[in-house]
Amino acid sequence: MIKIKNATKVASLLSALVLSASAQATIVEFQTSQQSFKVNLYDNQVPETVANFLKYVEANRYDESVLHRAIPQFIIQGGGIVYNDEDKLANIETFAAVKNEPKYSNVRGTISMAKIPNSPNSATSQWFINVKDNSAELDIQNSGYTVFGEVIDSGMNVVDQINGLTRCGEVPVINFSDEQCSNADIKPAKENLVVVYSVKVLDNDPNTAASLTPKENTLIKNIEKPSTDNGSSSGGTLYFALLMLASSLVCRRFNRA
């Protein structure tokens, strides 16, 4: 009887731990030059992806990074280029790639990991936020893009503002005209870019998950083999354009698409 009672207690303890873990959700704040916005992460649902993202947060690797992509009514993207200690643009130092976890749908307001075309498990540091419902494309392309959180409160107002900025190629800019973008002799300064000053953890209280109702990615179930990006003009191709962008930003000017 003693063994049974002890086993029951152990089972109850494990059950409590599982329930606690399933409720866990971390809230982070992106502090940017265009105001701040908050994101609630799906810690338990896509644990490897969230752990990967938080690893960059804890290492301060997103500090002073640049939003290098804004496609109108599609996405904004960052996490690839950073201002270093010399105040010069450089590649963000990346950790090992993370396993793809395409469980939830790329609807408006969700944050997902960017990756290399035709390589489902290639996500490292780059992330993007869906400005509209992109589920028809991104839930299936490249074996699905992993959604790992959602913008909360009034944060999408800030995201929409960034998405509507003038662009040099695909790079959102501030107080920088199309004419200036076309002039190779005029280089945008730091104040002309959308800078993420930092990403901070605000709350890792398990109760923050109570209001989350992520939409399941049901399209991925119909894929029998890894799908590929179609490279359409609609912006369906999300990729590590970091080297190309960094080269144009550091060495010359913004590359116009």
Side-chain angles (χ1 to χ4, degrees):
M1 291 298 292
I2 293 176
K3 291 183 178 180
I4 294 176
K5 287 181 179 179
N6 287 341
T8 301
K9 288 180 179 179
V10 171
S12 297
L13 178 59
L14 289 174
S15 177
L17 289 172
V18 169
L19 288 174
S20 176
S22 65
Q24 184 180 6
T26 300
I27 295 177
V28 296
E29 182 177 62
F30 287 72
Q31 300 172 346
T32 85
S33 58
Q34 296 294 293
Q35 301 182 358
S36 300
F37 60 89
K38 299 175 185 177
V39 172
N40 207 332
L41 306 178
Y42 304 151
D43 296 57
N44 183 68
Q45 297 93 326
V46 284
E48 293 187 44
T49 304
V50 171
N52 172 73
F53 178 79
L54 290 176
K55 186 160 55 174
Y56 286 95
V57 171
E58 292 164 1
N60 299 317
R61 294 194 184 178
Y62 290 134
D63 292 5
E64 300 297 313
S65 59
V66 173
L67 296 190
H68 65 268
R69 198 168 187 229
I71 308 300
Q73 291 304 305
F74 184 54
I75 56 96
I76 65 170
Q77 185 171 335
I81 302 172
V82 64
Y83 275 96
N84 60 24
D85 293 338
E86 289 77 36
D87 216 26
K88 295 180 180 179
L89 288 168
N91 299 347
I92 283 183
E93 183 180 357
T94 60
F95 298 111
V98 64
K99 179 182 177 182
N100 198 35
E101 298 177 293
K103 185 174 182 180
Y104 294 112
S105 187
N106 284 270
V107 296
R108 172 175 163 81
T110 54
I111 184 170
S112 302
M113 295 304 298
K115 51 189 177 179
I116 298 171
N118 310 325
S119 185
N121 301 310
S122 62
T124 54
S125 65
Q126 291 197 40
W127 49 266
F128 65 90
I129 294 174
N130 290 292
V131 175
K132 71 174 184 65
D133 185 344
N134 294 314
S135 56
E137 295 176 278
L138 303 187
D139 283 6
I140 57 176
Q141 287 180 4
N142 208 351
S143 294
Y145 285 88
T146 298
V147 170
F148 63 98
E150 61 187 69
V151 179
I152 59 174
D153 300 334
S154 59
M156 284 306 292
N157 292 336
V158 180
V159 172
D160 288 337
Q161 177 183 335
I162 295 170
N163 189 244
L165 291 172
T166 299
R167 295 174 299 139
C168 283
E170 294 184 340
V171 182
V173 290
I174 306 153
N175 298 323
F176 207 76
S177 67
D178 290 337
E179 184 178 353
Q180 288 174 306
C181 288
S182 302
N183 191 333
D185 296 325
I186 302 176
K187 297 180 180 180
K190 186 175 183 178
E191 56 265 26
N192 298 123
L193 303 175
V194 181
V195 179
V196 177
Y197 298 131
S198 65
V199 181
K200 301 293 185 184
V201 174
L202 296 184
D203 193 350
N204 58 4
D205 186 330
N207 293 325
T208 61
S211 62
L212 299 183
T213 55
K215 181 180 179 181
E216 183 183 0
N217 180 353
T218 57
L219 297 178
I220 197 70
K221 297 178 181 178
N222 299 322
I223 298 178
E224 296 181 357
K225 60 182 180 179
S227 59
T228 60
D229 293 304
N230 58 27
S232 68
S233 59
S234 65
T237 303
L238 287 175
Y239 58 95
F240 284 120
L242 178 56
L243 295 177
M244 190 162 50
L245 280 167
S247 175
S248 63
L249 286 169
V250 176
C251 301
R252 300 181 289 109
R253 59 181 175 86
F254 288 111
N255 206 10
R256 291 184 60 81

